[in-house]
Amino acid sequence: MRVMAQMAMVMNLDKCIGCHTCSVTCKQTWTNRTGMEYVWFNNVETRPGQGYPRTYEDQDRWQGGWELNKRGRLTLRAGNRLKNLLTIFSSPKMPSIQDYYEPWTYDYETLTDAPLQEHTPVARPKSLISGKDMDISWSANWDDDLAGAPELAKDDPVLQKVSDKVRFEFEQTFMFYLPRICEHCLNPSCAASCPSGAIYKRSEDGIVLVDQDKCRGWRKCVTGCPYKKVYFNHRTGKAEKCTFCFPRIEVGLPTVCAETCVGRLRYIGLVLYDADAVLEAASVEDDRELLAAQRQVLLDPDDPRVVREAERSGIPRDWIEAAQRSPVWSLINRYEVALPLHPEYRTMPMVWYIPPLSPVVDVVSDTGEDAEDRGNLFAAIESLRIPVEYLAELFTAGDTAPVTAVLKRLAAMRSYMRDINLGREPDESIPEAVGMDGESLYDMYRLLAIAKYDERYVIPPAHAEQAHGLEELATECSLDYEGGPGMGGWGPFGEGSGGTTPIAVENFQALKQRQTTNTLGDPEDKESRVNLLNWDGKGKPEGLFPPRPGQDRGAPELMDGTDPDAETDPKP
Amino acid sequence: MTTTPDLVLWVVLPYACLAVFVVGHYWRYRYDKFGWTTLSSQLYESRLLRWGSPLFHFGILAVLLGHVMGLGIPKSWTEAVGISEGVYHVLAVGVGAVAGFCTLVGMAILIYRRRTVGPVFSATTRMDKVMYLALAVVILLGIANTVGGNIIDHYDYREGLSVWFRGIFRLDPHPEIMAGAPFTFQAHAVTAFLLFALWPFTRLVHVFSAPIGYLWRPYVPYRSREDRLGQRRGGRGWERVGENRRR
């Protein structure tokens, strides 16, 4: 047994309202750059729907993930190593920008500088890829809330797998949201596809990252990832992916998507797993056995033998304690209500989902029956084959039994808690019916419904608590002034080439200047700022006060630094 | 008797270009590891690329092998293993022509694509354009040599140009050999060395990251988080020294 720790996430789909706050905050944090306009490390899809990029789940077409070869051994679906190398010059299964969407902006300038005319000027959409006018015909959320579903949803690869009857009835039944980030798999096929070996799994917390200095832009990871969560930055020519916000995780903070989640539906915690058992579990012959196999790879952190082995493999004591308190472990293996997304890709994904129960409850209450009565709910889950089969295609490779079991537990929790809330004697037969006891059902309720911050996120700091401050890895960059070196832009060899200037260098320069200057706190060149800490009160450093009007220093500058001669933009 | 222009063209220029090639790569790797990439434009367009890129790349790899044979292996060696001049000639011209043709067609498709597909063209840097020009000139001259030097007007480069080329690496340059070579061979050699000098400053550097090691390495690489300033060492105060230490 070789115990390793993995940072993992669970999302409670019942609570997702599809507000896209996670997507937007993630985008602002990580991908609001040129070359990444089309990239959403976190996106929220409406199911049924085609997803982003379009029909990414159709692995017959995109060839992502792993499969078993004729001899029963695990190989990349896109082909063995040799084939991978031979197709390096033109990756055959890579989605084009059209499969994601062509990013665009609007020509807002014409709104203000168009000449006087009879018709109101309009801001036309301009492609961010070619710079030309374009027609907007698709985006990351084109089919949000089942928009255009009669035409678009039939291409949903998951829907195509479930029977014709379901396809016929789905319109009147259900819709739910599926937020997706990188799965940080235990058996990542993106890393296995990378010819350069630039994608690696961190041995401490299992986060899968791309080494930007080692990536050579062979694009194989884009094909390799069945979730299409590795993206190609078309300006730098490098692959980029969700980082699980590792700078935040390292200091004990949840990821940006989790922190900003309005529905508080995300849970982050550690799981311990047996690294030696991963390959065997991923090679289970029957797709439907994969869920159980993956659950078994995760180790019980309360088992003394596991704790001993974890200590032996160098996992710190506070990490083991965090793994014992992990909400992710509880939801996956203690309450068994979380399920992995598409286990049949055999990558052992580590972002799990609690399937939604709400549609079932809604349907029952629409009939006028008591929606939280156990009998009614259980019967509804059984009879509503539609969501269960669809959910099963998403989470259990088509096996409906585990999904039904999860939905029953969620329903049982509602019934059981209603008695408690109404001051009635709790009915212990309810938890028994789903194989739990009242206490653990109550604990599950607490974790799912109360969902306190420190219970949702149990993130042990990465033993680097001070690195952030000491290394000046500030979230802001003081070189980011207009035209400064931090602004990036085209280096001699393309976007972003050239080394980065460590922030410490600027401090070094400023210090050197302070120590060698002739004047007191009076910077000679205009670009340096006035350092008030260094000003001894003598004299008046230039730039400290705005020049008085009428002085022979040229045109007066305004307090806010705007140039009075410049044209003022009309306010909208 | 070698004249000064001969000395400059066939001794100074090669050494200068090779020096730029070697030092340039070292510098680029140190200074710009992040920019060391293929700069693929497949995301924008893949219909033309699917044909052009493999044609060009496999063609140029075959051309490279041909050059290793023709320039690197002395004539006496091949004759010693029993390959006669005639056989060698037919082989070289045959394989060389096919490889050259593939390279040429591939390059034509790629240049056409780069110019006509809007997003690809707007992602083309000035350095790319210079590189494309240099590469095209070298390849065209090379094909002219294969056709002209072998079929129309026979020039045995294995007793001429190749000897000079190997001499450069043996630090025993013979400029007089090149002074007597046909013009297209001279031009091919000069432009090729100029291309070498340009090499480290273009996307051509990706040649040196050909991922051969992929065939042997384990599928999933693991890496430990780097030790950083201020990082706490593992283990608590009351734990025994040397126990449960994280690296």
Side-chain angles (χ1 to χ4, degrees):
Chain A
M1 192 195 301
R2 187 160 53 99
V3 181
M4 293 182 87
Q6 167 80 36
M7 201 55 83
M9 188 185 279
V10 170
M11 299 193 210
N12 184 358
L13 295 185
D14 247 345
K15 290 187 178 181
C16 185
I17 57 171
C19 66
H20 300 281
T21 308
C22 46
S23 306
V24 171
T25 49
C26 171
K27 180 126 187 104
Q28 283 300 333
T29 310
W30 291 104
T31 59
N32 60 348
R33 298 169 276 135
T34 50
M36 301 292 277
E37 303 92 346
Y38 74 102
V39 174
W40 297 83
F41 286 166
N42 181 108
N43 74 299
V44 183
E45 299 166 0
T46 303
R47 306 316 302 244
Q50 296 188 10
Y52 157 82
R54 265 185 262 195
T55 68
Y56 70 93
E57 285 154 308
D58 183 358
Q59 300 310 336
D60 291 335
R61 181 174 173 205
W62 297 116
Q63 306 276 302
W66 302 89
E67 64 181 1
L68 293 181
N69 65 12
K70 282 175 202 138
R71 286 174 298 151
R73 289 185 53 184
L74 203 61
T75 45
L76 288 171
R77 194 186 259 265
N80 60 21
R81 293 167 193 251
L82 192 64
K83 188 184 170 198
N84 228 354
L85 275 197
L86 288 177
T87 53
I88 208 165
F89 300 126
S90 167
S91 193
K93 297 291 176 188
M94 183 179 158
S96 76
I97 192 80
Q98 310 302 338
D99 292 307
Y100 297 94
Y101 67 100
E102 191 168 344
W104 71 89
T105 184
Y106 291 95
D107 182 16
Y108 292 111
E109 206 181 1
T110 53
L111 296 183
T112 54
D113 66 5
L116 186 64
Q117 53 189 308
E118 191 184 345
H119 301 290
T120 314
V122 289
R124 284 216 211 133
K126 298 265 184 196
S127 166
L128 283 171
I129 297 290
S130 64
K132 305 241 164 59
D133 283 335
M134 64 174 279
D135 291 327
I136 301 167
S137 58
W138 193 260
S139 82
N141 279 308
W142 202 251
D143 52 0
D144 208 12
D145 291 342
L146 293 183
E151 278 175 47
L152 298 174
K154 66 180 189 314
D155 291 328
D156 177 352
V158 178
L159 199 63
Q160 282 174 350
K161 278 189 190 169
V162 295
S163 69
D164 289 338
K165 166 180 155 256
V166 171
R167 202 180 305 173
F168 179 66
E169 288 175 4
F170 94 89
E171 257 182 279
Q172 40 194 329
T173 52
F174 76 109
M175 160 191 112
F176 64 95
Y177 301 104
L178 183 72
R180 292 201 304 126
I181 62 170
C182 166
E183 300 282 339
H184 296 277
C185 308
L186 295 185
N187 185 29
S189 54
C190 59
S193 314
C194 175
S196 315
I199 303 186
Y200 61 97
K201 198 166 174 61
R202 288 215 301 199
S203 41
E204 286 87 358
D205 49 19
I207 294 177
V208 179
L209 294 171
V210 184
D211 183 339
Q212 291 289 305
D213 276 349
K214 231 179 149 190
C215 172
R216 302 281 174 249
W218 300 119
R219 319 174 294 288
K220 287 292 176 185
C221 50
V222 181
T223 306
C225 174
Y227 303 94
K228 292 291 170 278
K229 276 293 173 189
V230 188
Y231 301 91
F232 188 75
N233 182 326
H234 59 88
R235 293 290 285 275
T236 62
K238 303 263 171 168
E240 294 190 31
K241 63 179 287 301
C242 159
T243 63
F244 214 81
C245 289
F246 72 88
R248 289 174 61 91
I249 292 287
E250 280 176 9
V251 293
L253 294 170
T255 62
V256 167
C257 54
E259 177 84 90
T260 59
C261 177
V262 185
R264 305 195 290 181
L265 57 94
R266 297 190 189 221
Y267 297 79
I268 298 177
L270 278 180
V271 286
L272 302 179
Y273 69 101
D274 182 2
D276 290 335
V278 170
L279 184 65
E280 199 189 332
S283 312
V284 171
E285 202 180 324
D286 185 0
D287 277 354
R288 298 188 171 189
E289 301 289 322
L290 279 164
L291 169 65
Q294 192 170 347
R295 277 186 167 148
Q296 273 165 17
V297 168
L298 307 183
L299 300 169
D300 183 356
D302 292 317
D303 181 349
R305 206 169 60 92
V306 172
V307 171
R308 204 166 51 242
E309 289 294 329
E311 282 176 340
R312 189 170 297 163
S313 47
I315 296 173
R317 173 67 71 173
D318 55 341
W319 277 52
I320 297 171
E321 283 164 13
Q324 288 165 348
R325 290 192 296 123
S326 167
V328 172
W329 162 258
S330 297
L331 292 170
I332 292 176
N333 265 358
R334 193 169 291 151
Y335 309 133
E336 292 189 338
V337 288
L339 301 168
L341 182 63
H342 289 301
E344 71 271 23
Y345 298 160
R346 297 175 183 272
T347 61
M348 305 260 126
M350 274 296 125
V351 174
W352 293 48
Y353 295 88
I354 302 174
L357 178 69
S358 285
V360 185
V361 179
D362 291 344
V363 169
V364 176
S365 52
D366 283 350
T367 62
E369 297 287 327
D370 181 355
E372 293 194 328
D373 179 80
R374 169 170 56 122
N376 287 344
L377 263 182
F378 280 11
I381 292 168
E382 289 294 334
S383 60
L384 278 177
R385 307 300 299 172
I386 302 139
V388 173
E389 283 181 10
Y390 189 88
L391 294 173
E393 285 297 341
L394 276 182
F395 300 119
T396 58
D399 187 2
T400 52
V403 179
T404 313
V406 170
L407 293 180
K408 277 191 173 173
R409 286 199 165 177
L410 294 175
M413 183 183 79
R414 282 169 184 256
S415 297
Y416 184 73
M417 284 313 298
R418 193 172 68 143
D419 285 340
I420 294 178
N421 286 336
L422 295 178
R424 297 199 292 239
E425 195 60 28
D427 180 0
E428 292 301 329
S429 71
I430 296 176
E432 260 170 46
V434 291
M436 293 174 84
D437 58 68
E439 198 178 337
S440 58
L441 203 59
Y442 185 83
D443 287 345
M444 184 169 107
Y445 153 78
R446 205 184 141 72
L447 190 56
L448 291 181
I450 311 290
K452 288 287 186 195
Y453 190 90
D454 57 352
E455 289 174 24
R456 268 182 291 140
Y457 308 128
V458 180
I459 306 166
H463 293 256
E465 292 89 338
Q466 298 165 322
H468 187 77
L470 288 175
E471 236 196 343
E472 296 182 319
L473 279 175
T475 39
E476 76 282 0
C477 174
S478 54
L479 299 180
D480 271 353
Y481 57 87
E482 187 63 35
M487 285 301 283
W490 290 82
F493 313 119
E495 178 81 10
S497 67
T500 50
T501 316
I503 300 167
V505 169
E506 200 205 29
N507 289 358
F508 173 74
Q509 300 288 10
L511 188 68
K512 190 173 153 197
Q513 197 182 29
R514 235 181 285 157
Q515 287 166 341
T516 56
T517 185
N518 292 326
T519 54
L520 287 166
D522 187 5
E524 277 159 349
D525 61 321
K526 279 183 111 180
E527 278 203 342
S528 53
R529 311 158 198 176
V530 179
N531 188 340
L532 286 175
L533 289 174
N534 203 35
W535 181 44
D536 61 356
K538 291 181 206 157
K540 201 165 62 177
E542 192 180 43
L544 182 60
F545 301 109
R548 293 212 184 90
Q551 270 187 333
D552 55 352
R553 274 188 152 175
E557 276 182 52
L558 296 180
M559 276 297 279
D560 60 358
T562 50
D563 182 358
D565 291 339
E567 282 179 44
T568 41
D569 289 340
K571 296 281 183 288
Chain B
M1 179 63 202
T2 45
T3 59
T4 314
D6 281 342
L7 209 62
V8 169
L9 276 182
W10 313 121
V11 180
V12 178
L13 182 84
Y15 280 118
C17 290
L18 286 177
V20 172
F21 183 81
V22 173
V23 178
H25 275 102
Y26 174 75
W27 169 82
R28 176 92 189 263
Y29 194 73
R30 290 291 303 272
Y31 165 77
D32 187 31
K33 227 181 267 184
F34 180 64
W36 193 290
T37 151
T38 55
L39 270 180
S40 162
S41 55
Q42 188 177 352
L43 192 67
Y44 302 135
E45 199 280 342
S46 62
R47 200 175 47 86
L48 288 168
L49 189 83
R50 184 171 305 155
W51 288 100
S53 182
L55 266 177
F56 173 78
H57 282 95
F58 285 119
I60 203 96
L61 283 175
V63 167
L64 173 78
L65 272 182
H67 278 70
V68 170
M69 281 274 288
L71 293 176
I73 300 174
K75 198 173 183 177
S76 54
W77 292 19
T78 49
E79 275 169 3
V81 292
I83 302 171
S84 74
E85 172 64 22
V87 172
Y88 183 90
H89 191 71
V90 170
L91 209 73
V93 174
V95 177
V98 173
F101 180 73
C102 288
T103 312
L104 194 68
V105 172
M107 191 175 65
I109 296 175
L110 289 180
I111 291 179
Y112 170 79
R113 169 178 180 272
R114 198 152 273 279
R115 185 64 196 87
T116 55
V117 179
V120 182
F121 186 58
S122 60
T124 307
T125 63
R126 212 172 301 151
M127 221 47 193
D128 287 340
K129 290 174 190 165
V130 175
M131 184 273 291
Y132 265 99
L133 183 73
L135 200 60
V137 168
V138 173
I139 290 172
L140 285 174
L141 283 169
I143 289 172
N145 287 343
T146 311
V147 177
N150 281 306
I151 299 164
I152 302 165
D153 173 27
H154 191 77
Y155 167 68
D156 190 356
Y157 57 85
R158 299 176 77 211
E159 298 201 321
L161 195 143
S162 300
V163 180
W164 162 77
F165 185 79
R166 288 195 297 273
I168 289 174
F169 294 92
R170 284 206 314 266
L171 301 181
D172 177 25
H174 290 283
E176 70 282 354
I177 299 177
M178 279 311 286
F183 174 73
T184 53
F185 279 87
Q186 290 183 334
H188 182 64
V190 169
T191 49
F193 271 107
L194 288 175
L195 180 66
F196 289 153
L198 195 64
W199 200 291
F201 313 104
T202 63
R203 64 168 72 190
L204 290 180
V205 292
H206 75 263
V207 170
F208 293 100
S209 43
I212 306 298
Y214 178 63
L215 293 172
W216 300 280
R217 75 162 166 84
Y219 262 140
V220 180
Y222 286 85
R223 253 198 244 178
S224 198
R225 205 179 47 240
E226 285 152 30
D227 270 348
R228 278 195 308 223
L229 190 65
Q231 191 160 325
R232 200 177 89 196
R233 293 280 158 182
R236 289 181 176 175
W238 55 83
E239 281 168 355
R240 258 178 289 160
V241 177
E243 200 173 72
N244 304 329
R245 278 283 160 115
R246 287 155 65 78
R247 287 199 310 107

